[in-house]
Structures are given as C-alpha cells and as structure tokens.
Amino acid sequence: MTGAATGWPTVPVLPDPATGAVLASGLLHELAHAFGGPFHFLLPDAFDANLAAMRRTLAEAGVDGSVYFAKKANKAAVFVERAAAGGAGVDVASAAELREALGHGVRGEHLVLTGPAKDPGLLQLAVRHGVLVAVDSPGELDTLIGPVTHGAPRPARVLLRVLPPAQPHSRFGMNDAELAAALSRCAEAGDTVRMEGFSFHLSGYAIQPRADLAAHLTDLCIEARARGLDARRISVGGGLPISYTDADSWRTYLQGHDRRHFHAGKSFRAADFYPYHCDEPGAEALAALLAARPEGRDHALADILKSAEVTLLLEPGRALLDRAGASVFTVQGVKDRDGYRLITVDGTSLSLSEQWFNSEYLPDPHLVPRDPHAPHAPHVPNTTPDPAGPYPASVGAGTCLESDMLTWRKIGFPRPPRTGDLLVYPNTAGYQMDSNESRFHDLAVPPKVVIDRTDGDRPRWRLDRHFS
C-alpha cells in the first residue's frame, strides 16, 4: 500500500503473486544494470490463463466462439506465440503485424485483418494467406473484389463492418445504405468472395449497447443467408475491461483527488481516466455480455446466437494481457519542490502510453529499494511504510521537455525515494508499453524481457523475439 492509511489519495494495485515473485527475487536490479535503461517484463502465463477463462465462458454458455488477440495492444512476439500455441487467432491491422503473426506460428485462416482503408498490397497479402478481412467501406470491397482477387488462388474471406447507430459520427464502418450496396456486391461476386458475416467496434465498455448491436448483426446474418450468402459469424471487437484496483480504493480516489494532488496544478476529470475498477472484468464481462438480453428481445444474447447458428468472434487486447507484465524505470534523481518531491527516471513517458490519451496511468508504482538487503528495506516493496510517511512525489522523465511526465499525480510513497531505486509500474502489458514508443533524444526503446517461470527461487527470463 502507499498513502491509504493516512488519507493520501492512492490507487493500490490488486495483488498478483507472479509480479510479487519477480519483485522479491532481486532480478530487476540486475536487469536494470544490464540494460542501462528502462525495460518491460512480460508474464505470458497470465495471457494463457486469461485466454482459458474466456474459452470456458463461451463453453459454459454453449456459444460457438473464437478469440483473436488484438496485437495492437502489445507488440511482443511472446503473446502471438502463446495465441498460436493455444489455438487462438490474432487481430492485425498492418502488413507488418500480419507478417509478424505468420512468422510466430499463427496460421492465415486464424487471422482477422481490421482497420480502415486498407491498401491493395495489404489486401492481396491477406487473401493469399486466407485471412478474414473486416471490410470498412464499399470502396474497399470494390478493391478487394476487383484487382486484388483477380487470379487469386482462393476467395477473399470478408466481414462487413457496421457503423454503430450509437456512434453515427464514427469514421469506421458502413451505414445501412452502404451495407445494402456491399451485400449486393458480395452476392454478385460469386466464388470470388466468401462473405462470412459482420463486425463492429464500439468505444467504451458498456455491456448493453454491445448486446443490442450483436443481436442486430445476428439478424443481418440471417438476412444475408436469404440472399445466398453463408453469413454465420459476427465480431464484436474488444471492449472487455479489466480491474487494476479494488472498488473501495477507486471510489475513494475519484472522490478525494484534486489539483493539489498533481504536479504544477495539473488537473484531470474523472472521465479522462480509464475505469481502473470494474465489477465484472475480463471473462466475467464476456459472461455478462452473453447473459444480457438485447433491447426488445425475449432471450439472452447467448440464446440468440445459438438459435441463429452464429459464431461469436472476440478481439480482446487488454483483457488477454491482464497482469501479463510490468514496466521498470530507475530513479536518476530526486529533488524537493514545495512540500513534495520530483523524481526523475531514465526513459520517457512515451513508454507509459496513457499520456497519449491526455490521461494518467493511475495504479501506484512499486518502489523497489536500490539495496534490497539494507536493514531498513523490506524484501518485498511497499509493505512496511515509514511511520513518517507518506512521501508524495511526482515522476518525470529524463528528457528536457516540461510536459514529459510519467506521473503528474503526487504518489504517496511509503518511504523516501532515492537515486538508484526502481519504480515498477504494474500491469502495463495492455496498451501501455509500446503504443507510443519513440527514440526521442536517441534513447533506446525499452527492451522486453519474457519471464516464463516465477514459481522457483529464481525467475527464468529471456529477451522477447519480436522481429523488428
């Protein structure tokens, strides 16, 4: 814990035995010394567990479904490898992502290609490998049916992406008129195209709008079959939230923080933050979706899917990466500033990507002492606070930009941070590690370390095998 006992605003992370074992092992200081800069460690066993939980949820509901890992959530090869080993698919949106997935063992027919306005070369690569393509517009469908599939050895596999009625200004998907034209085009294309169903992506994490739109897409599949198309799949994208902290801590934080608790009077609205607590995370959110009754329907979504013989496709990112890694920075300097401290760490805020969304990554980082064997330092960080604490501190990066802050919030550390300590930001595998990475100042992009085993006295590690 950090400042919870004294009333200082805090967002304590939920316990995670695997991360705790790494923190207690002494390995992180050795890796920080070896790399000479920030790095991320990955815990792929958590990915396996999250994938298994989603598959159990589908099986328990009796729903035929497939899980595709949203590769944009993390570039590491190990998660693609684990998806391939576990029989899951991968959601890609570029030629590089597609090649990376193929190169790490995912078969083409287990890939889904999303994203807007795909270029002909990417579409051609997808068709050649049997990738399922989520078509975003009638123009893209024309490109796919015309020059791309001319002389191709197999038909193009497509989903038609639907513009969500609740988000009419979205730049993604097709409206009703465009869908009607696209369906006619698919019907006319004959064996050139295999239209397999429909897809959508919704912003936010609300269950009911997803259930409503999924039921509508199921109806569209039935209508498409009446036109001779074998439409039996719908993709609902991602949007399965995870929990970083407990309900009481999150509620207390939202009610108690204000500008005084941020460096330089920085302010954020509650709506700017990811919902760091949810009552039904991950596979539980999937269970809630399947159990939800779409508006105007007499049955749960699971029953509607089964009755229509429609397969549910999921493209989760963060939900598969829950507790699957953390980010490690070394404290390079500490200065006092108006009753709190300013910490400077190696690396930049670009390696903690929530800043990209004009937001803040709120879960409290662990403070790992530079000498874990010193008498005053606990073996496991953040368990024995100094009675004089908390020690509020904000965290800046090692660049010359005023705005390059990893954490504007004044974190209530349990002891004074010192040069040489480590700051370990927990549970960062989902979207934080590399969505916004950069070699600004010619600094190296932080490497990723895969920790395959945490159940022994010494964690086993290796560098990730990402090709690029």
Side-chain angles (χ1 to χ4, degrees):
M1 63 183 293
T2 52
T6 63
W8 188 266
T10 181
V11 187
V13 71
L14 294 171
D16 175 36
T19 299
V22 175
L23 292 171
S25 69
L27 175 65
L28 296 184
H29 275 289
E30 295 182 16
L31 292 174
H33 174 73
F35 293 130
F39 64 96
H40 310 288
F41 67 84
L42 311 176
L43 301 168
D45 287 349
F47 180 96
D48 296 347
N50 294 328
L51 175 59
M54 289 185 192
R55 286 183 150 169
R56 280 196 305 272
T57 299
L58 290 167
E60 289 168 0
V63 170
D64 184 21
S66 297
V67 179
Y68 294 78
F69 167 55
K71 193 179 185 305
K72 62 182 177 289
N74 195 296
K75 294 184 178 72
V78 69
F79 298 125
V80 176
E81 293 167 352
R82 291 299 180 96
V90 176
D91 163 25
V92 299
S94 70
E97 286 187 338
L98 197 159
R99 293 189 186 102
E100 182 87 14
L102 291 172
H104 286 286
V106 183
R107 298 172 63 178
E109 57 263 37
H110 294 160
L111 297 176
V112 59
L113 175 63
T114 57
K118 307 166 197 66
D119 68 80
L122 175 57
L123 291 173
Q124 197 167 48
L125 182 65
V127 171
R128 187 179 303 131
H129 288 278
V131 176
L132 181 62
V133 179
V135 173
D136 191 64
S137 69
E140 185 174 283
L141 183 62
D142 287 341
T143 300
L144 192 62
I145 293 175
V148 168
T149 55
H150 181 70
R154 65 181 84 196
R157 301 174 56 219
V158 304
L159 301 174
L160 300 181
R161 184 165 177 173
V162 175
L163 174 70
Q167 296 172 7
H169 302 296
S170 172
R171 65 189 183 94
F172 301 111
M174 291 180 266
N175 60 29
D176 290 344
E178 291 167 332
L179 278 175
L183 279 170
S184 295
R185 189 82 168 91
C186 288
E188 295 164 359
D191 294 339
T192 304
V193 168
R194 193 167 82 207
M195 203 293 264
E196 299 189 9
F198 301 86
S199 71
F200 70 82
H201 285 248
L202 278 177
S203 299
Y205 303 97
I207 294 293
Q208 191 62 47
R210 279 181 167 72
D212 294 344
L213 193 47
H216 174 59
L217 264 59
T218 302
D219 292 341
L220 291 179
C221 282
I222 295 172
E223 293 173 14
R225 283 183 227 161
R227 302 182 64 169
L229 299 169
D230 191 24
R232 296 183 181 276
R233 312 179 91 186
I234 65 167
S235 171
V236 298
L240 301 177
I242 67 172
S243 258
Y244 294 83
T245 192
D246 63 276
D248 288 343
S249 294
W250 184 232
R251 182 175 59 253
T252 300
Y253 179 79
L254 290 179
Q255 293 172 349
H257 83 280
D258 59 39
R259 296 173 69 99
R260 296 170 301 163
H261 299 124
F262 291 85
H263 169 61
K266 181 80 170 178
S267 64
F268 295 95
R269 301 170 302 149
D272 293 333
F273 300 134
Y274 180 86
Y276 286 101
H277 172 80
C278 66
D279 293 329
E280 295 175 317
E284 294 179 45
L286 173 57
L289 174 64
L290 294 172
R293 181 176 296 179
E295 185 177 0
R297 308 299 178 105
D298 295 328
H299 302 285
L301 177 61
D303 296 325
I304 293 170
L305 293 169
K306 287 185 284 187
S307 176
E309 297 182 342
V310 166
T311 297
L312 180 69
L313 310 186
L314 306 164
E315 297 158 18
R318 196 186 303 250
L320 284 174
L321 297 171
D322 187 18
R323 308 188 192 192
S327 300
V328 184
F329 301 85
T330 300
V331 176
Q332 294 187 153
V334 181
K335 64 171 66 171
D336 290 329
R337 179 71 82 241
D338 300 327
Y340 65 101
R341 289 171 171 81
L342 276 174
I343 299 172
T344 297
V345 299
D346 53 4
T348 76
S349 62
L350 298 174
S351 298
L352 203 64
S353 297
E354 203 66 28
Q355 300 287 2
W356 193 18
F357 303 103
N358 192 31
S359 186
E360 181 103 324
Y361 188 71
L362 289 180
D364 294 339
H366 301 286
L367 180 64
V368 182
R370 62 190 178 192
D371 181 2
H373 304 296
H376 67 277
H379 188 51
V380 179
N382 291 2
T383 57
T384 308
D386 186 323
Y391 296 89
S394 297
V395 184
T399 72
C400 55
L401 296 179
E402 191 74 63
S403 61
D404 193 8
M405 298 289 294
L406 277 78
T407 308
W408 292 89
R409 180 168 66 97
K410 299 172 185 177
I411 303 161
F413 287 107
R415 66 191 63 82
R418 299 178 300 165
T419 300
D421 290 347
L422 300 181
L423 282 188
V424 181
Y425 284 84
N427 207 358
T428 56
Y431 287 105
Q432 296 305 313
M433 289 183 177
D434 52 22
S435 294
N436 210 23
E437 63 191 8
S438 169
R439 291 183 59 89
F440 185 66
H441 276 322
D442 282 341
L443 295 170
V445 171
K448 293 191 178 76
V449 171
V450 179
I451 298 182
D452 295 306
R453 292 281 300 276
T454 60
D455 54 356
D457 293 335
R458 187 71 169 167
R460 186 178 67 187
W461 69 274
R462 60 180 172 85
L463 288 174
D464 182 65
R465 291 188 283 261
H466 181 59
F467 289 150
S468 57

